[in-house]
């Protein structure tokens, strides 16, 4: 059922309260919960951390919004804690990494399939093939470092094969920027998609940047360094598709609407009743934030929020395997590269990227090393190699 | 006895849970060549470069107070390398201190779950007390050598990394008493070997009083291993339905 964004005022901000016990609930089971429950948790953590990041930047630039931002941000902080603490401690950082890449593959694929703007759909497909390759590299690392099978996390929803090779993803910075949507013309779903994927990629970058040094193994330390660098490129790419002419309040409203949209998608598809209750509660909280920011937009900019984001949330993001779509994109677009904001065949790639790549890979490529001769096999490659 | 292991169709990790999806995934992986040639030896080659360039994790602190006794004791070590002994003492000290906390977790878990009566909380409390006493014994030994018992030696650091998973298992509310017993058995087995080594080192260095003290600690630790192992085996046998 379609959800009207402004009909429900959700839970009012002053009623959005937490205790430490509600924030620190029993986590999911790594073994028994559905992979897509974990995907939703990671995605929503990305949205919540983006909410905090954006609201801090907004506060630095807007004195009159500092109090309202501080009030909303306190709730976002506790929502983020509640959501992220659902990941159980028996996930090794590398197993969580596999799950992050499953988010990047399956959510980006769903967005690419549903994005009405053809250029932006291409942007998502381009990024998708790179994250798809990261999944293969990290799966090789998990197998060869910890002796574990990445499919225990993926649950057969996502293929483990090379994508656009990570070694070729390193580009000169100017070739990571894209053209942005037009805030006056773009459909609401285009805006929601852009903030969703930007948030997911940002948290992935920060996660890798923080856990990389927790590894002792030099190959793991190098691989996290390399893939964190690509995630930074992806943040650059996805940030640039958002119209920079949006006002601070307009962006704030879009962030809140994106959170509401994603919690709505989670509520509609969650199979674990205890986790679904978390999504329902936070959907109501986010509708409260949308209502609160809408009033600020009316007060300071005298604008109708529905002009920015419509009044009905689009159909939920489908959380399911996109195997055939990903294979088709891989088959047709693996050789795409970039020249400025445009996608070109690898023969036409901007020489600045080639030069950048020549140097950064000149002492070896961690992503090539880790996956040397690697083909995924159920039960790890030892299952195939040891008679 | 309460069952701690349950069989269900909820476990989703293996390929048998989704045979159709798994088969297409396997077929695709088999027909897709790797993007670079070679095998896992490529990782070893890179690791080797770093191993050759690596510095040690850290050093043993120089004894800060060479008191009379310490000087006399160190003199007795003449020609030996006291830093090795101090490093191993520091390692044991840290291990016993963490071991005390491991027993705190196990006692809490047994009490909270009303664990099966074969596990004696009083015995666990005695083991906990002995771990703490062993910690103090090593601390006093280090002081008698003029070394600082509050410093972290390389051995202490590395052995804490090695046993960090044990702490993670014990402190997880979801792990069962049998799973916790297995984790603590891991710690007790290596602890036992550690005390045996310390006793030999003390004997080798002619520190006979210390050797005697360490051998009594070793005897207590041997009881820990024996008892924990017995509970661990009894629990699994009872759960599997074996006749007691």
């Amino acid at each position: 059922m379609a959800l009207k964004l402004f009909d429900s005022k959700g839970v009012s901000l002053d009623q959005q309260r937490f205790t430490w016990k509600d924030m620190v609930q029993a986590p999911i089971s790594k073994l028994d919960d559905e992979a897509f429950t974990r995907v939703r948790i990671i995605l929503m953590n990305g949205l919540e951390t983006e909410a905090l990041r954006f609201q801090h930047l907004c506060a630095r630039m807007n004195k009159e919004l500092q109090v309202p931002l501080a009030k909303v941000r306190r709730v976002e902080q506790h929502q983020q804690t509640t959501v992220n603490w659902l990941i159980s401690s028996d996930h090794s950082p590398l197993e969580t990494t596999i799950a992050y890449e499953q988010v990047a593959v399956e959510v980006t694929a769903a967005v690419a399939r549903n994005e009405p703007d053809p250029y932006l759909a291409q942007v998502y497909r381009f990024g998708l093939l790179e994250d798809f390759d990261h999944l293969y590299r990290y799966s090789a690392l998990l197998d060869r470092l910890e002796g574990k099978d990445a499919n225990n996390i993926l649950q057969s929803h996502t293929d483990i094969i090379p994508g656009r090779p990570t070694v070729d993803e390193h580009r000169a910075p100017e070739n990571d920027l894209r053209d942005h949507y037009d805030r006056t013309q773009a459909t609401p779903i285009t805006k929601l998609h852009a903030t969703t994927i930007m948030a997911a990629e940002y948290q992935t970058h920060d996660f890798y940047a923080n856990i990389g040094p927790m590894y002792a193994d030099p190959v793991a330390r190098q691989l996290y360094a390399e893939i964190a660098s690509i995630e930074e490129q992806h943040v650059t790419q996805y940030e640039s598709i958002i119209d920079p002419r949006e006002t601070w309040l307009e962006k704030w409203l879009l962030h809140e609407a994106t959170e509401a949209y994603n919690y709505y998608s989670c509520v509609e598809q969650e199979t674990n009743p205890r986790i679904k209750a978390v999504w329902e509660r936070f959907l109501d909280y986010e509708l409260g934030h949308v209502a609160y920011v809408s009033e600020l937009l009316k007060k300071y900019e005298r604008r109708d929020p529905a002009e920015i984001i419509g009044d009905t949330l689009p159909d939920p993001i489908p959380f399911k395997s996109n195997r055939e779509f990903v294979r088709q994109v891989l088959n047709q677009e693996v050789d795409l590269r970039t020249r400025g904001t445009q996608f070109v065949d690898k023969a036409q790639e901007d020489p600045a990227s080639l030069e950048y790549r020549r140097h950064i890979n000149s002492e070896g490529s961690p992503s090539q090393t880790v996956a040397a001769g690697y083909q995924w096999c159920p039960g790890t490659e030892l299952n195939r190699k040891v008679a | 006895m309460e069952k701690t292991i349950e069989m269900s169709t909820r476990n989703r990790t293996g390929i048998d849970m989704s045979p159709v999806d798994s088969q297409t995934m396997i077929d695709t992986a088999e027909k897709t060549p790797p993007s670079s040639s070679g095998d896992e030896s490529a990782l070893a080659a890179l690791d080797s470069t770093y191993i050759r360039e690596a510095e040690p994790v850290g050093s043993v602190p120089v004894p800060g107070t060479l008191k009379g006794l310490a000087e006399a004791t160190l003199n007795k070590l003449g020609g030996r390398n006291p830093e090795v002994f101090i490093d191993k003492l520091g390692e044991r000290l840290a291990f016993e201190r963490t071991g005390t906390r491991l027993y705190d977790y196990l006692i809490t878990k047994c009490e909270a779950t009303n664990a099966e009566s074969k596990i004696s909380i009083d015995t666990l409390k005695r083991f906990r007390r002995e771990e703490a006493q062993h910690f103090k014994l090593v601390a006093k030994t280090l002081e008698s050598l003029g070394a600082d018992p509050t410093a972290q030696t390389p051995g202490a650091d590395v052995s804490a990394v090695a046993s960090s998973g044990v702490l993670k298992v014990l402190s997880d509310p979801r792990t069962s008493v049998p799973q916790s017993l297995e984790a603590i058995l891991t710690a007790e087995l290596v602890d036992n070997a550690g005390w045996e080594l310390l006793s030999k080192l003390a004997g080798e260095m002619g520190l006979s009083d210390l050797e005697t003290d360490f051998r009594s600690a070793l005897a207590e630790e041997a009881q820990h291993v024996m008892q924990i192992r017995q509970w661990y085996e009894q629990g699994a046998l009872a759960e599997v339905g074996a006749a007691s």
Side-chain angles (χ1 to χ4, degrees):
Chain A
M1 194 184 79
L3 185 72
K4 294 281 188 187
L5 198 49
F6 303 108
D7 283 3
S8 164
K9 298 288 179 200
V11 174
S12 68
L13 201 53
D14 58 356
Q15 293 303 309
Q16 299 186 7
R17 301 193 302 167
F18 292 81
T19 65
W20 305 119
K21 185 75 171 28
D22 328 281
M23 278 185 254
V24 184
Q25 302 185 11
I28 57 165
S29 167
K30 184 177 88 173
L31 311 181
D32 291 0
D33 268 294
E34 276 194 4
F36 278 102
T37 294
R38 181 170 39 231
V39 162
R40 286 184 279 270
I41 290 168
I42 292 169
L43 176 66
M44 294 322 301
N45 183 57
L47 266 298
E48 291 295 352
T49 51
E50 168 59 23
L52 288 166
R53 187 182 302 116
F54 168 77
Q55 289 173 30
H56 273 297
L57 293 174
C58 186
R60 289 177 207 173
M61 304 297 286
N62 296 280
K63 175 68 188 163
E64 70 283 9
L65 294 177
Q66 284 180 351
V67 170
L69 281 162
K71 287 182 175 176
V72 174
R73 214 164 47 224
R74 181 62 50 85
V75 177
E76 309 279 18
Q77 163 66 25
H78 294 157
Q79 288 179 274
Q80 184 273 328
T81 306
T82 309
V83 170
N84 202 27
W85 268 230
L86 291 171
I87 298 291
S88 57
S89 62
D90 51 340
H91 289 81
S92 70
L94 191 42
E95 287 175 313
T96 305
T97 297
I98 298 295
Y100 268 62
E101 293 299 346
Q102 187 169 37
V103 173
V105 171
E106 299 300 351
V107 178
T108 309
V111 163
R113 295 173 81 172
N114 294 328
E115 172 56 49
D117 179 316
Y119 172 77
L120 294 177
Q122 175 69 87
V123 171
Y124 295 124
R125 293 196 304 273
F126 186 77
L128 164 65
L129 290 189
E130 302 197 334
D131 287 319
F132 184 69
D133 192 73
H134 302 167
L135 177 59
Y136 165 72
R137 311 287 157 180
Y138 280 131
S139 296
L141 183 68
L142 183 69
D143 189 336
R144 292 172 166 181
L145 189 73
E146 297 186 8
K148 292 178 183 169
D149 179 355
N151 196 44
N152 290 165
I153 297 294
L154 302 171
Q155 297 176 5
S156 301
H157 294 301
T158 313
D159 286 340
I160 306 173
I161 53 172
R164 177 174 304 115
T166 300
V167 67
D168 293 334
E169 295 171 9
H170 306 289
R171 290 176 285 274
E174 59 272 27
N175 293 316
D176 283 323
L177 294 163
R178 306 287 167 256
D179 296 331
H180 61 79
Y181 63 71
D182 179 338
R183 66 175 183 150
T184 63
Q185 304 294 320
T187 59
I189 190 67
T190 288
K191 298 177 180 181
L192 296 171
H193 280 162
T195 299
T196 299
I197 300 299
M198 189 257 291
E201 293 292 312
Y202 214 132
Q203 76 152 347
T204 304
H205 167 268
D206 288 0
F207 183 65
Y208 297 165
N210 282 306
I211 67 161
M214 290 169 64
Y215 290 89
D217 180 78
V219 178
R221 291 169 79 90
Q222 281 203 358
L223 185 65
Y224 274 89
E226 183 182 10
I227 297 183
S229 177
I230 301 297
E231 300 303 348
E232 159 56 25
Q233 293 183 203
H234 285 182
V235 177
T236 299
Q237 163 170 288
Y238 291 122
E239 205 167 54
S240 68
I241 63 176
I242 296 170
D243 193 335
R245 296 166 302 181
E246 289 164 348
T247 67
W248 282 101
L249 264 168
E250 188 173 353
K251 284 185 183 296
W252 189 7
L253 180 69
L254 282 172
H255 273 76
E256 299 300 350
T258 305
E259 287 183 83
Y261 172 60
N262 279 281
Y263 279 121
Y264 166 57
S265 301
C266 292
V267 166
E268 291 290 300
Q269 295 165 79
E270 184 57 64
T271 52
N272 179 329
R274 190 171 61 79
I275 307 300
K276 183 172 182 172
V278 173
W279 305 143
E280 286 168 338
R281 176 183 173 194
F282 288 173
L283 171 58
D284 282 342
Y285 282 19
E286 294 303 339
L287 290 172
H289 298 174
V290 168
Y292 186 73
V293 179
S294 294
E295 291 308 312
L296 293 170
L297 187 81
K298 289 175 194 166
K299 176 180 167 187
Y300 287 106
E301 297 191 6
R302 304 199 176 285
R303 292 169 70 189
D304 176 4
E307 285 174 16
I308 294 168
I309 194 59
D311 61 359
T312 305
L313 284 176
D315 290 341
I317 292 181
F319 295 117
K320 61 183 178 65
S321 173
N322 292 281
R323 191 189 312 280
E324 290 310 319
F325 174 77
V326 175
R327 286 179 183 177
Q328 187 190 339
V329 174
L330 183 63
N331 190 37
Q332 294 171 353
E333 301 185 7
V334 70
D335 287 336
L336 282 190
R337 301 290 184 272
T338 62
R339 179 180 276 272
T341 62
Q342 299 307 304
F343 298 101
V344 295
D345 184 76
K346 66 180 179 184
Q348 276 89 48
E349 185 172 13
D350 184 4
S353 290
L354 300 178
E355 174 54 23
Y356 170 72
R357 207 142 69 216
R358 191 193 59 72
H359 177 75
I360 205 161
N361 292 325
S362 61
E363 290 192 87
S365 160
S367 55
Q368 294 290 87
T369 299
V370 75
Y374 187 75
Q375 281 179 297
W376 173 79
C377 170
T380 79
E381 66 179 350
L382 292 179
N383 210 15
R384 188 179 61 239
K385 289 183 174 178
V386 181
Chain B
M1 161 175 181
E2 192 187 342
K3 285 187 71 171
T4 59
I5 303 290
E6 180 198 357
M7 191 178 282
S8 85
T9 54
R10 292 195 303 274
N11 185 309
R12 298 168 187 276
T13 57
I15 54 169
D16 287 351
M17 285 304 290
S18 41
V20 176
D21 284 338
S22 300
Q23 195 54 53
T24 181
M25 197 174 162
I26 293 165
D27 294 344
T28 302
E30 277 177 357
K31 70 180 184 208
T32 309
S35 67
S36 51
S37 59
D39 57 25
E40 62 261 54
S41 64
L43 283 77
L46 181 61
D47 286 344
S48 299
T49 309
Y50 277 87
I51 290 167
R52 285 191 290 272
E53 293 169 354
E55 298 284 338
V57 295
S59 59
V60 176
V62 174
T65 54
L66 283 176
K67 293 176 291 192
L69 175 63
E71 207 163 359
T73 310
L74 285 171
N75 284 341
K76 279 174 70 179
L77 305 180
R80 311 298 178 119
N81 292 322
E83 63 271 24
V84 175
F85 193 45
I86 290 170
D87 184 34
K88 284 294 168 194
L89 286 167
E91 178 180 320
R92 216 63 276 116
L93 176 144
F95 205 95
E96 297 301 312
R97 205 165 47 187
T98 303
T100 309
R101 299 306 178 197
L102 295 180
Y103 275 102
D104 283 337
Y105 277 117
L106 184 57
I107 290 164
T108 302
K109 185 156 284 175
C110 288
E111 287 178 338
T113 56
N114 295 316
E116 51 271 38
S117 56
K118 282 182 180 162
I119 295 178
S120 156
I121 303 282
D122 286 343
T123 304
L124 289 178
K125 286 182 176 169
R126 175 163 64 83
F127 290 176
R128 190 254 183 224
R129 195 168 56 246
E130 287 168 354
E131 297 287 331
Q133 285 165 350
H134 297 169
F135 152 62
K136 288 301 285 184
L137 168 65
V138 184
K140 283 179 186 157
T141 304
L142 279 162
E143 278 171 354
S144 74
L145 295 171
D148 179 357
T150 68
Q152 189 174 31
T153 69
D157 184 38
V158 170
S159 85
V161 173
S163 58
S164 57
V166 173
L167 188 59
K168 205 163 175 180
V169 171
L170 265 297
S171 61
D172 188 336
R174 303 171 309 153
T175 54
S176 65
V177 170
Q179 287 162 341
S180 301
L181 283 171
E182 181 169 334
I184 217 160
L185 180 60
T186 310
E188 287 290 12
L189 285 167
V190 77
D191 200 21
N192 208 262
W195 280 106
E196 187 138 4
L197 177 66
L198 265 194
S199 305
K200 283 181 185 166
L201 286 175
E204 184 66 24
M205 291 178 147
L207 303 170
S208 54
D209 290 351
L210 273 186
E211 186 187 1
T212 306
D213 289 345
F214 290 171
R215 292 234 171 253
S216 358
L218 175 61
E220 288 173 344
E221 292 291 354
Q223 280 185 26
H224 297 188
V225 171
M226 195 179 66
Q227 183 62 76
I228 295 290
R229 188 177 209 150
Q230 193 181 45
W231 283 330
Y232 164 67
E233 288 177 1
Q234 279 173 349
L237 286 166
E239 277 206 79
V240 87
S244 55

